Amino acid sequence: MASREPRGRPVLRRVTQITALSPHVAAAAVAETPAKTPAADPDALKAYQRVQNGSDVRGIALDTNPDEPVTLTPAMMYFLGAAFAEWLSAKRDQPIGSLRVSIGRDPRLSSPLMAASIATGLTSAGVSVARFGPCTTPAMFMSCILPEHKYDGAIMITASHLPVNRNGAKFYTCEGGLDKADIGALVKRAAELATEAGQLPADRFNDHAFVVTAALQASDELVQWVEFLPVYATYLRELMKAAIAHPDNRDAPLTGFKIVVNPGNGGGAFIADQVLGPLGADVSASIHLEPDGSFPNHTPNPEDKKAVAATTKAVLAAGADLGIMLDTDVDRSGVVDAAGNGINRNRYIALMSAITLRENPGETIVTDSCTSNGLATFITQLGGKHFRFKKGYKNIINKGIELNDSGVPCPLMMETSGHGAMRENYFLDDGAYGALKIVIEMVRRRLQGEPDISDLLKDLRDPVEAMEIRVAIKASDARAEGDKVTAAFKEWVDAGCAGASHWQLEKENYEGWRLRVTEEGDKEGWILLRPSLHDPDIVLNVESEHKGGMRTILEHILEFFKEHPEFEVSTAKVEEYVAAR
């Protein structure tokens, strides 16, 4: 093998052979003499900004639906990789040539190409890349933490539970995932680099050729393949052994337990065969373990009704002690108990809260804005404090970190989607870790002769009716129109909700406006009107503790929209629900 080419000017000499195609590479590789980058082409900037999804990147990567044109291409991933190289160099105050970045992917059909493209962007800039192949989001973060690895950065190619034509990327350092502002800087810089290279998102004919040509020029000495998932699995097994501390069988503490794992053909099968099985659990009844990016059985999503039904069926058929549901990249989870009861959304947060508050009495649980009144009461009855914040897993994680830093102990942050982060686990949204905490609790309870884990939820009050309905915004500027609607709704509330005196604004609101709705018999429903985080919608979350109560609430909400015909929205879904009831 040829000797490793030195950094700096020799790299510049090598890459200038293709400057007509990718002149940005020279500037990225030679940090000492940066060239002034031209401003991004306006259309290119819009295209890159369109794939920002809060604190990560997501877009349409496969041309499988004529109504959903591709928005995220291999060349765009290439430039995002190059931009991450520059961002990481500045963040760590290190030369680009000294950086090491790991890349993993989920089993989506477009993921191999997208992973190769972002790796090429990194190596073309001079970064050393470790390619993990199929992996999980939490494992990628841990590759920045675990000894003998400690990569400077990590990237997971995934679009979580979204349909098969979507894909994206999540970026990490040892400090956690990048924030919204960081991703904003990345997409802007990527658009500038694409403009400089002359490879704009609108040029689809040369998109793949650009990446292939750049890959041919990048040094293969900068790339190595690393089998990291077994390392992460070993880490999880050792954590479980220590937490269970089985008095008779430390190395196989799950002996005698039957557990069904359903990763939904995503990336979570290793939980069964590399974590639970080696610890003694019978995982033979697990389903949908084979990674398949077409997701042939159901959406890999612990909220998905088909996922819950399939897991429940497998648990009951096998007489299993527990079922575990995972999303594609394993940063979300849900469970099914031995009786076949699905535990997700509010019930999952309640279960995790019960476990966490036993270990951390009196501390604060952070949730998103859509959690139920019953959950708030449940947490309070356990002696904990409830902080209801915003939707978005990064929002609640950052709030938990902020609370801890300010002296308010906060061991758990959970979103109703199944995203959950714990202080004891680097504030990482790790679906596997949450599910394994429940397994640990299940074993602990059996060893101490206590009832099954479902007993922990016996005091949780579930709503009689609950639903999320989206009001589509038809205006060209959805964000501005959403702000108008929510501002007008607040004015309507302040003016007395058109005579609904039993509707009262919550004391604290961090997104949109949530109201308590007093119902008969000292019951209390609620409604939350908020702009969607990512879609051109106004979202209505409604719960009632009376049968038919949601219809009454939504009928009155329609009065608000009738008072404002100037809004460019479609209330058809709300009207359909009211008419159907």
Side-chain angles (χ1 to χ4, degrees):
M1 181 180 291
S3 62
R4 188 183 185 90
E5 188 171 20
R7 307 286 188 210
R9 295 298 177 183
V11 175
L12 174 61
R13 185 168 61 250
R14 170 170 59 85
V15 298
T16 51
Q17 296 172 15
I18 57 164
T19 50
L21 194 60
S22 57
H24 85 280
V25 178
V30 189
E32 314 89 69
T33 55
K36 183 176 177 61
T37 304
D41 173 84
D43 290 336
L45 182 59
K46 288 180 182 178
Y48 277 88
Q49 289 175 333
R50 192 178 301 125
V51 299
Q52 178 173 3
N53 182 64
S55 57
D56 56 36
V57 168
R58 290 185 190 176
I60 299 169
L62 290 178
D63 188 16
T64 58
N65 184 340
D67 296 326
E68 294 185 329
V70 168
T71 60
L72 183 63
T73 71
M76 291 174 74
M77 291 295 264
Y78 171 91
F79 289 112
L80 285 165
F84 185 56
E86 293 186 5
W87 181 93
L88 193 59
S89 175
K91 176 76 172 177
R92 296 187 64 87
D93 193 23
Q94 290 180 214
I96 286 180
S98 70
L99 296 173
R100 299 162 57 248
V101 173
S102 57
I103 299 175
R105 62 174 177 83
D106 71 14
R108 289 173 181 277
L109 301 177
S110 60
S111 287
L113 177 56
M114 291 302 190
S117 299
I118 208 163
T120 302
L122 287 160
T123 56
S124 293
V127 174
S128 294
V129 169
R131 296 195 61 186
F132 289 179
C135 208
T136 71
T137 292
M140 294 312 303
F141 167 74
M142 291 304 299
S143 74
C144 298
I145 299 294
L146 294 183
E148 300 182 11
H149 291 276
K150 291 191 175 182
Y151 293 95
D152 299 299
I155 304 173
M156 178 66 180
I157 305 300
T158 184
S160 189
H161 65 283
L162 293 178
V164 296
N165 63 339
R166 312 298 175 93
N167 217 325
K170 298 179 179 181
F171 300 82
Y172 291 89
T173 69
C174 62
E175 296 175 351
L178 271 63
D179 289 325
K180 183 177 180 180
D182 300 320
I183 299 299
L186 278 191
V187 298
K188 180 176 182 294
R189 181 59 179 151
E192 292 171 350
L193 294 174
T195 299
E196 184 181 8
Q199 181 56 47
L200 303 181
D203 181 7
R204 299 295 166 79
F205 294 106
N206 292 311
D207 192 281
H208 289 57
F210 176 90
V211 177
V212 171
T213 304
L216 290 171
Q217 296 294 327
S219 171
D220 61 359
E221 294 182 12
L222 295 177
V223 180
Q224 64 176 150
W225 286 90
V226 176
E227 196 171 2
F228 182 76
L229 208 51
V231 176
Y232 180 57
T234 299
Y235 165 75
L236 292 176
R237 288 199 308 271
E238 292 305 315
L239 285 180
M240 293 191 72
K241 289 179 186 178
I244 294 171
H246 198 290
D248 304 316
N249 197 353
R250 185 186 187 280
D251 290 333
L254 302 185
T255 301
F257 287 89
K258 184 174 289 188
I259 301 174
V260 169
V261 177
N262 178 9
N265 302 110
F270 82 102
I271 296 297
D273 57 33
Q274 296 186 48
V275 180
L276 300 176
L279 291 176
D282 179 352
V283 294
S284 60
S286 295
I287 58 174
H288 312 328
L289 296 177
E290 184 66 27
D292 186 335
S294 66
F295 306 133
N297 294 291
H298 56 70
T299 301
N301 179 353
E303 294 181 275
D304 184 78
K305 291 181 179 179
K306 289 184 179 179
V308 177
T311 310
T312 298
K313 181 179 178 181
V315 166
L316 294 176
D321 299 286
L322 189 73
I324 295 174
M325 302 170 288
L326 302 164
D327 77 335
T328 317
D329 58 328
V330 198
D331 59 359
R332 296 194 297 147
S333 56
V335 299
V336 172
D337 68 18
N341 299 306
I343 300 176
N344 55 17
R345 298 188 61 80
N346 287 287
R347 292 175 61 78
Y348 195 51
I349 299 175
L351 181 56
M352 289 298 296
S353 296
I355 295 169
T356 303
L357 289 171
R358 180 177 56 79
E359 299 170 350
N360 304 275
E363 296 193 358
T364 297
I365 308 297
V366 178
T367 73
D368 61 14
S369 58
C370 301
T371 48
S372 68
N373 291 335
L375 176 63
T377 301
F378 181 80
I379 291 172
T380 302
Q381 289 174 342
L382 290 172
K385 301 176 183 65
H386 180 214
F387 194 110
R388 187 186 285 126
F389 195 50
K390 298 178 181 178
K391 288 288 287 184
Y393 70 94
K394 279 295 284 184
N395 288 330
I396 61 171
I397 290 172
N398 287 343
K399 176 54 69 173
I401 294 172
E402 176 190 319
L403 289 172
N404 276 286
D405 289 345
S406 67
V408 179
C410 177
L412 175 67
M413 303 112 254
M414 283 206 75
E415 193 180 37
T416 45
S417 66
H419 274 293
M422 302 190 75
R423 181 179 58 207
E424 66 185 53
N425 188 40
Y426 304 95
F427 295 99
L428 172 65
D429 55 314
D430 187 342
Y433 193 90
L436 296 179
K437 285 286 288 188
I438 293 171
V439 173
I440 292 167
E441 177 68 12
M442 178 178 68
V443 178
R444 185 194 71 80
R445 294 177 74 83
R446 181 172 295 184
L447 287 173
Q448 296 186 9
E450 298 177 10
D452 185 68
I453 58 166
S454 57
D455 185 67
L456 291 170
L457 299 177
K458 65 180 185 299
D459 295 327
L460 176 66
R461 187 179 75 252
D462 290 320
V464 175
E465 296 180 329
M467 180 173 281
E468 178 177 285
I469 302 179
R470 291 177 175 262
V471 175
I473 298 175
K474 298 187 288 185
S476 57
D477 190 340
R479 184 178 297 276
E481 191 71 3
D483 290 342
K484 289 179 185 177
V485 173
T486 50
F489 183 70
K490 176 61 163 53
E491 292 178 1
W492 185 73
V493 171
D494 290 341
C497 301
S501 59
H502 59 295
W503 287 30
Q504 299 292 326
L505 195 67
E506 290 278 9
K507 291 180 181 179
E508 293 183 339
N509 283 277
Y510 295 96
E511 66 172 342
W513 303 103
R514 177 167 170 147
L515 286 76
R516 302 189 308 276
V517 179
T518 303
E519 300 180 319
E520 294 179 12
D522 294 326
K523 303 291 186 180
E524 188 173 88
W526 59 272
I527 183 166
L528 170 65
L529 183 144
R530 60 183 176 87
S532 170
L533 281 175
H534 310 300
D535 300 316
D537 298 321
I538 296 293
V539 186
L540 292 172
N541 291 96
V542 187
E543 285 191 6
S544 173
E545 296 191 17
H546 280 287
K547 187 171 178 59
M550 276 208 317
R551 181 177 184 274
T552 302
I553 293 171
L554 289 173
E555 278 183 329
H556 198 62
I557 280 291
L558 285 174
E559 294 301 315
F560 160 72
F561 284 105
K562 288 176 183 177
E563 287 183 21
H564 293 278
E566 73 276 13
F567 292 149
E568 295 184 61
V569 300
S570 172
T571 59
K573 289 185 179 179
V574 184
E575 293 165 0
E576 288 172 10
Y577 179 87
V578 170
R581 299 301 188 277

